Amino acid sequence: MIIPAPSSVAFTIFNFPIYWYGIILATAILVSIIVGNKFFNVINVGFKKDVIISCAPLIIISGIIGARLYFCMLNPSYYLNHPLEILDIRQGGLSIHGAIFLGVLALIYSAKKNNVPVMRVLDSMSCVTILGQAIGRWGNYFNSEAYGFPVAGQHWGVFIPESRRVAEYINYSLFHPTFLYESILDLFGFVILSIILFKFGRKFSGIPFFAYLTLYSLIRFFIERVRIDSALNIGVVPIAEIMSIILFVSGIVGMVICLSKGRQNPYNI
């Protein structure tokens, strides 16, 4: 099956283009906030309700700023020469690792502001973050990005326009749809993390959050082995792989500590 290249523009308003990337990103954020708030209310009986909804603006803004700044830092030469384009995210250019970093800080602040244990909030949102990522990856499809190596035989795959191809593979047209691979894996991850949250979240606060770091890092590491348009490589190693390893180890260590404590909220922060 050949996946055609779509138009990146959904429609225009007074000659102002509205991109599919932005629509899909907004949908991913909205779904994550609504489901995350529901999860928090169900799993945290006795605590203040609707914490996620009340803090949604801060969480959303922090996540987008973190994602954009991290992406720009991975492409310093371009954005130093085009600083105004740092503000233009309508056509893509967001990195999940930056969103995780500033998003976590925003969640910590929100939890403390609402007198809710930090890990309770992080646990609930970590499960739905990967759901949002599954939805958001379709924005990469409409931007003809986040694709992998050319497919063997060129009889199937996603068509990438010549203007969006990596120079090394300019003569190929069909590539592995790594955006689709990751979207599917993220959906499976959402199911797994939801089970962990509802089975272990009450007894072992922190386990769902660190399980998210571990599971998503594992997914992203193997996707990066196939993907060829990574934002930045250190030598021949994509920096996303390095970050995945760091977060994977952090997640494993965190889960071990949570299990060894054997009580709720082992991190009293």
Side-chain angles (χ1 to χ4, degrees):
M1 180 182 70
I2 296 177
I3 304 173
S7 170
S8 61
V9 178
F11 54 89
T12 59
I13 300 178
F14 301 112
N15 293 322
F16 184 80
I18 304 299
Y19 291 93
W20 279 112
Y21 185 90
I23 294 173
I24 292 172
L25 178 64
T27 301
I29 291 172
L30 179 64
V31 170
S32 296
I33 291 296
I34 293 174
V35 178
N37 188 70
K38 179 66 174 179
F39 278 16
F40 178 85
N41 291 340
V42 171
I43 201 71
N44 295 298
V45 177
F47 290 96
K48 181 178 179 180
K49 289 186 174 296
D50 298 329
V51 170
I52 306 300
I53 292 293
S54 65
C55 301
L58 177 62
I59 297 169
I60 293 169
I61 292 171
S62 298
I64 292 176
I65 290 175
R68 184 58 173 173
L69 290 180
Y70 185 86
F71 179 84
C72 293
M73 286 190 293
L74 297 182
N75 301 271
S77 60
Y78 179 83
Y79 287 103
L80 286 175
N81 291 320
H82 305 82
L84 293 180
E85 291 193 23
I86 294 175
L87 302 176
D88 184 11
I89 63 172
R90 293 180 304 136
Q91 300 186 58
L94 300 176
S95 172
I96 185 59
H97 292 119
I100 290 173
F101 179 73
L102 271 193
V104 166
L105 292 182
L107 287 169
I108 291 173
Y109 172 80
S110 300
K112 287 184 171 295
K113 181 180 178 181
N114 287 276
N115 295 316
V116 177
V118 169
M119 297 312 299
R120 293 284 186 174
V121 176
L122 291 180
D123 284 348
S124 300
M125 280 305 296
S126 60
C127 291
V128 297
T129 295
I130 202 167
L131 174 61
Q133 290 168 235
I135 298 171
R137 273 303 174 196
W138 284 92
N140 298 132
Y141 167 59
F142 285 95
N143 277 358
S144 293
E145 60 188 8
Y147 55 89
F149 287 102
V151 295
Q154 291 286 287
H155 298 305
W156 70 277
V158 60
F159 177 82
I160 300 297
E162 187 172 331
S163 61
R164 304 292 294 181
R165 296 173 198 166
V166 175
E168 183 180 355
Y169 301 101
I170 194 70
N171 294 323
Y172 294 88
S173 60
L174 299 178
F175 298 80
H176 281 280
T178 50
F179 75 89
L180 175 60
Y181 300 161
E182 183 174 330
S183 181
I184 293 172
L185 290 173
D186 286 346
L187 286 175
F188 279 112
F190 169 67
V191 173
I192 293 170
L193 290 173
S194 297
I195 293 172
I196 292 174
L197 176 67
F198 287 101
K199 188 172 181 62
F200 301 105
R202 292 188 179 92
K203 184 177 181 181
F204 297 103
S205 182
I207 286 291
F209 170 67
F210 289 113
Y212 162 74
L213 294 183
T214 301
L215 182 58
Y216 177 67
S217 295
L218 191 63
I219 292 171
R220 184 61 183 271
F221 181 86
F222 286 107
I223 290 295
E224 287 294 324
R225 306 301 294 175
V226 182
R227 186 173 166 180
I228 60 175
D229 68 335
S230 299
L232 177 68
N233 292 350
I234 297 180
V236 296
V237 180
I239 195 167
E241 286 189 17
I242 297 173
M243 288 300 301
S244 293
I245 292 172
I246 293 172
L247 292 179
F248 178 84
V249 173
S250 300
I252 293 294
V253 171
M255 284 192 291
V256 169
I257 293 174
C258 288
L259 290 172
S260 67
K261 293 290 184 179
R263 58 186 177 86
Q264 290 185 353
N265 195 23
Y267 296 88
N268 188 26
I269 59 175

Coordinates of all heavy atoms in Angstrom, one line a residue, residues 14-61:
F14 N -9.3 34.2 5.2 CA -8.8 35.5 4.7 C -7.3 35.4 4.2 O -6.5 36.2 4.6 CB -8.9 36.6 5.8 CG -10.3 36.8 6.2 CD1 -10.7 36.5 7.5 CD2 -11.3 37.3 5.4 CE1 -12.0 36.6 8.0 CE2 -12.6 37.5 5.8 CZ -13.0 37.2 7.1
N15 N -7.1 34.3 3.4 CA -5.8 34.1 2.9 C -4.7 33.7 3.9 O -3.5 33.6 3.6 CB -5.3 35.3 2.0 CG -6.1 35.5 0.8 OD1 -6.5 34.6 0.1 ND2 -6.3 36.8 0.5
F16 N -5.2 33.4 5.1 CA -4.2 33.0 6.2 C -4.4 31.5 6.3 O -5.4 30.9 6.6 CB -4.6 33.6 7.5 CG -3.6 33.3 8.6 CD1 -2.4 33.9 8.7 CD2 -4.0 32.3 9.6 CE1 -1.6 33.6 9.8 CE2 -3.1 32.0 10.6 CZ -1.9 32.6 10.7
P17 N -3.3 30.7 6.0 CA -3.4 29.3 6.0 C -3.5 28.7 7.4 O -2.8 29.1 8.3 CB -2.1 28.8 5.3 CG -1.1 29.9 5.6 CD -1.9 31.2 5.6
I18 N -4.4 27.7 7.5 CA -4.5 26.9 8.8 C -4.0 25.5 8.5 O -4.5 24.8 7.6 CB -6.0 26.9 9.3 CG1 -6.5 28.3 9.4 CG2 -6.0 26.1 10.6 CD1 -5.8 29.1 10.5
Y19 N -2.9 25.1 9.2 CA -2.2 23.9 8.9 C -2.8 22.7 9.7 O -3.2 22.9 10.8 CB -0.7 24.0 9.2 CG 0.0 25.0 8.2 CD1 0.1 26.3 8.6 CD2 0.5 24.5 7.0 CE1 0.8 27.2 7.7 CE2 1.1 25.4 6.2 CZ 1.3 26.7 6.5 OH 1.9 27.6 5.7
W20 N -2.8 21.6 9.0 CA -3.2 20.3 9.7 C -2.4 20.1 10.9 O -2.9 19.5 11.9 CB -3.1 19.2 8.7 CG -4.3 19.0 7.7 CD1 -4.2 19.2 6.4 CD2 -5.6 18.7 8.1 NE1 -5.5 19.0 5.8 CE2 -6.3 18.7 6.9 CE3 -6.3 18.4 9.3 CZ2 -7.7 18.4 6.8 CZ3 -7.6 18.1 9.2 CH2 -8.3 18.1 8.0
Y21 N -1.1 20.4 10.8 CA -0.2 20.2 12.0 C -0.8 20.8 13.2 O -0.9 20.2 14.3 CB 1.2 20.7 11.7 CG 2.2 20.4 12.8 CD1 2.9 19.2 12.7 CD2 2.4 21.3 13.8 CE1 3.9 18.9 13.7 CE2 3.4 21.0 14.8 CZ 4.1 19.8 14.7 OH 5.0 19.5 15.7
G22 N -1.2 22.1 13.1 CA -1.8 22.8 14.3 C -3.1 22.2 14.7 O -3.3 22.1 16.0
I23 N -3.9 21.8 13.8 CA -5.2 21.2 14.2 C -5.0 19.9 14.9 O -5.6 19.7 16.0 CB -6.1 21.0 12.9 CG1 -6.5 22.3 12.3 CG2 -7.3 20.1 13.2 CD1 -7.2 22.2 10.9
I24 N -4.1 19.1 14.4 CA -3.8 17.8 15.1 C -3.2 18.0 16.4 O -3.5 17.3 17.4 CB -3.0 16.9 14.2 CG1 -3.8 16.5 12.9 CG2 -2.5 15.7 14.9 CD1 -3.0 15.8 11.9
L25 N -2.3 18.9 16.5 CA -1.6 19.2 17.8 C -2.6 19.7 18.8 O -2.6 19.2 20.0 CB -0.5 20.3 17.6 CG 0.2 20.7 18.9 CD1 1.0 19.6 19.5 CD2 1.1 21.9 18.6
A26 N -3.5 20.6 18.4 CA -4.6 21.1 19.3 C -5.5 19.9 19.8 O -5.9 19.8 21.0 CB -5.4 22.2 18.7
T27 N -5.8 19.0 18.9 CA -6.7 17.9 19.2 C -5.9 17.0 20.2 O -6.6 16.5 21.2 CB -7.0 17.1 17.9 OG1 -7.7 17.9 17.0 CG2 -7.9 15.8 18.3
A28 N -4.7 16.7 20.0 CA -3.9 15.9 20.9 C -3.8 16.4 22.3 O -4.0 15.7 23.3 CB -2.5 15.7 20.3
I29 N -3.6 17.8 22.4 CA -3.6 18.4 23.7 C -4.9 18.4 24.4 O -5.0 18.0 25.6 CB -3.1 19.9 23.5 CG1 -1.7 19.9 23.0 CG2 -3.3 20.7 24.8 CD1 -1.2 21.3 22.7
L30 N -6.0 18.6 23.6 CA -7.3 18.6 24.2 C -7.7 17.3 24.7 O -8.2 17.1 25.9 CB -8.4 19.1 23.2 CG -9.8 19.1 23.6 CD1 -10.0 20.1 24.7 CD2 -10.8 19.4 22.4
V31 N -7.5 16.2 24.0 CA -7.8 14.9 24.4 C -6.9 14.5 25.6 O -7.5 13.9 26.6 CB -7.5 13.9 23.2 CG1 -7.6 12.4 23.7 CG2 -8.5 14.1 22.1
S32 N -5.7 14.8 25.6 CA -4.8 14.5 26.7 C -5.3 15.2 28.0 O -5.3 14.5 29.1 CB -3.4 15.0 26.5 OG -2.8 14.2 25.4
I33 N -5.7 16.4 28.0 CA -6.1 17.2 29.1 C -7.4 16.6 29.7 O -7.6 16.3 30.9 CB -6.3 18.7 28.8 CG1 -4.9 19.3 28.6 CG2 -7.0 19.4 30.0 CD1 -4.0 19.3 29.7
I34 N -8.4 16.3 28.8 CA -9.7 15.8 29.2 C -9.5 14.4 29.8 O -10.0 14.1 30.9 CB -10.7 15.7 28.1 CG1 -11.0 17.2 27.6 CG2 -11.9 15.0 28.4 CD1 -11.9 17.2 26.4
V35 N -8.8 13.5 29.1 CA -8.6 12.1 29.7 C -7.7 12.1 30.9 O -8.0 11.4 31.9 CB -8.0 11.2 28.6 CG1 -7.8 9.8 29.1 CG2 -8.9 11.2 27.4
G36 N -6.7 13.0 30.9 CA -5.8 13.0 32.1 C -6.6 13.5 33.3 O -6.4 13.0 34.4
N37 N -7.5 14.5 33.2 CA -8.3 15.0 34.3 C -9.2 13.9 34.8 O -9.4 13.7 36.0 CB -9.1 16.2 33.9 CG -9.8 16.9 35.0 OD1 -9.1 17.5 35.9 ND2 -11.1 16.8 35.0
K38 N -9.8 13.1 33.8 CA -10.7 12.0 34.2 C -9.9 11.0 35.0 O -10.4 10.5 36.0 CB -11.3 11.4 33.0 CG -12.2 10.2 33.2 CD -13.5 10.7 34.0 CE -14.4 9.5 34.1 NZ -15.7 9.9 34.9
F39 N -8.7 10.6 34.5 CA -7.9 9.6 35.2 C -7.5 10.1 36.6 O -7.6 9.3 37.6 CB -6.6 9.3 34.4 CG -6.8 8.4 33.3 CD1 -8.1 8.0 32.8 CD2 -5.7 7.8 32.7 CE1 -8.3 7.1 31.8 CE2 -5.9 6.8 31.6 CZ -7.1 6.5 31.2
F40 N -7.2 11.3 36.7 CA -6.8 11.9 38.0 C -8.0 11.8 39.0 O -7.8 11.4 40.2 CB -6.3 13.3 37.9 CG -6.0 14.0 39.2 CD1 -4.7 13.8 39.8 CD2 -6.9 14.7 39.9 CE1 -4.4 14.3 41.0 CE2 -6.6 15.2 41.2 CZ -5.3 15.1 41.7
N41 N -9.2 12.2 38.6 CA -10.3 12.1 39.4 C -10.7 10.7 39.9 O -11.1 10.5 41.0 CB -11.5 12.8 38.7 CG -11.4 14.3 38.6 OD1 -10.6 14.9 39.2 ND2 -12.1 14.8 37.6
V42 N -10.5 9.8 39.0 CA -10.9 8.4 39.3 C -9.9 7.7 40.2 O -10.2 7.1 41.2 CB -11.0 7.5 38.0 CG1 -11.1 6.1 38.3 CG2 -12.2 8.0 37.2
I43 N -8.6 8.0 40.0 CA -7.5 7.3 40.7 C -7.2 7.9 42.0 O -6.6 7.3 42.9 CB -6.3 7.1 39.9 CG1 -5.4 6.0 40.4 CG2 -5.5 8.4 39.9 CD1 -5.9 4.6 40.1
N44 N -7.6 9.2 42.2 CA -7.2 10.0 43.4 C -8.4 10.4 44.2 O -8.6 11.6 44.4 CB -6.3 11.2 43.0 CG -5.0 10.7 42.4 OD1 -4.2 10.1 43.0 ND2 -4.8 11.1 41.1
V45 N -9.2 9.5 44.6 CA -10.4 9.7 45.4 C -9.9 10.3 46.8 O -9.0 9.8 47.4 CB -11.2 8.5 45.7 CG1 -12.4 8.8 46.6 CG2 -11.7 7.9 44.4
G46 N -10.5 11.4 47.2 CA -10.1 12.1 48.4 C -9.3 13.3 48.2 O -9.1 14.1 49.2
F47 N -8.7 13.4 47.0 CA -7.9 14.6 46.8 C -8.7 15.6 46.0 O -9.8 15.3 45.5 CB -6.7 14.3 45.9 CG -5.6 13.5 46.7 CD1 -5.6 12.1 46.7 CD2 -4.7 14.1 47.5 CE1 -4.7 11.4 47.3 CE2 -3.8 13.4 48.2 CZ -3.7 12.0 48.2
K48 N -8.2 16.8 45.9 CA -8.9 17.9 45.2 C -9.2 17.5 43.7 O -8.2 17.0 43.1 CB -8.1 19.2 45.2 CG -8.7 20.3 44.5 CD -7.9 21.6 44.6 CE -8.5 22.8 43.8 NZ -7.7 24.0 43.9
K49 N -10.4 17.6 43.2 CA -10.7 17.2 41.9 C -10.4 18.3 40.8 O -10.2 19.4 41.1 CB -12.2 16.8 41.8 CG -12.5 15.5 42.5 CD -14.0 15.2 42.2 CE -14.3 13.8 42.8 NZ -13.6 12.7 42.2
D50 N -10.3 17.8 39.6 CA -10.1 18.7 38.4 C -8.9 19.5 38.5 O -8.8 20.7 38.0 CB -11.4 19.6 38.2 CG -12.6 18.7 37.9 OD1 -12.5 17.7 37.3 OD2 -13.7 19.2 38.3
V51 N -7.8 19.0 39.1 CA -6.6 19.7 39.2 C -6.0 20.0 37.8 O -5.5 21.0 37.4 CB -5.5 19.0 40.0 CG1 -4.1 19.6 39.9 CG2 -6.0 19.0 41.5
I52 N -6.1 18.9 36.9 CA -5.5 19.0 35.6 C -6.2 20.1 34.8 O -5.6 20.9 34.1 CB -5.6 17.6 34.9 CG1 -5.0 16.5 35.7 CG2 -5.0 17.7 33.5 CD1 -3.6 16.7 36.0
I53 N -7.6 20.1 34.8 CA -8.3 21.1 34.1 C -8.0 22.5 34.6 O -7.8 23.4 33.7 CB -9.8 20.9 34.2 CG1 -10.3 19.6 33.5 CG2 -10.6 22.1 33.7 CD1 -10.1 19.6 32.0
S54 N -7.9 22.7 35.9 CA -7.6 24.1 36.4 C -6.2 24.6 36.0 O -6.0 25.8 35.9 CB -7.8 24.1 37.9 OG -6.8 23.2 38.5
C55 N -5.3 23.6 35.8 CA -3.9 24.0 35.5 C -3.6 23.8 34.0 O -2.4 24.0 33.6 CB -3.0 23.2 36.4 SG -3.2 23.5 38.1
A56 N -4.6 23.5 33.2 CA -4.4 23.2 31.8 C -3.6 24.3 31.0 O -2.7 24.0 30.3 CB -5.7 22.9 31.1
P57 N -4.0 25.6 31.2 CA -3.3 26.6 30.4 C -1.8 26.6 30.7 O -1.0 26.7 29.8 CB -3.9 27.9 30.9 CG -5.3 27.5 31.3 CD -5.2 26.1 32.0
L58 N -1.4 26.5 32.0 CA 0.0 26.5 32.3 C 0.7 25.2 31.7 O 1.8 25.3 31.2 CB 0.2 26.5 33.8 CG 1.7 26.4 34.3 CD1 2.5 27.6 33.8 CD2 1.7 26.3 35.8
I59 N 0.0 24.1 31.8 CA 0.6 22.8 31.3 C 0.8 22.9 29.8 O 1.9 22.5 29.3 CB -0.3 21.7 31.7 CG1 -0.4 21.5 33.2 CG2 0.2 20.4 31.1 CD1 -1.5 20.5 33.7
I60 N -0.2 23.4 29.1 CA -0.2 23.5 27.7 C 0.9 24.4 27.2 O 1.8 24.1 26.3 CB -1.5 23.9 27.1 CG1 -2.6 22.8 27.3 CG2 -1.4 24.2 25.6 CD1 -4.0 23.3 27.1
I61 N 0.9 25.6 27.8 CA 1.9 26.6 27.4 C 3.3 26.2 27.7 O 4.3 26.3 26.8 CB 1.7 28.0 28.1 CG1 0.3 28.6 27.6 CG2 2.8 29.0 27.8 CD1 -0.1 29.8 28.3

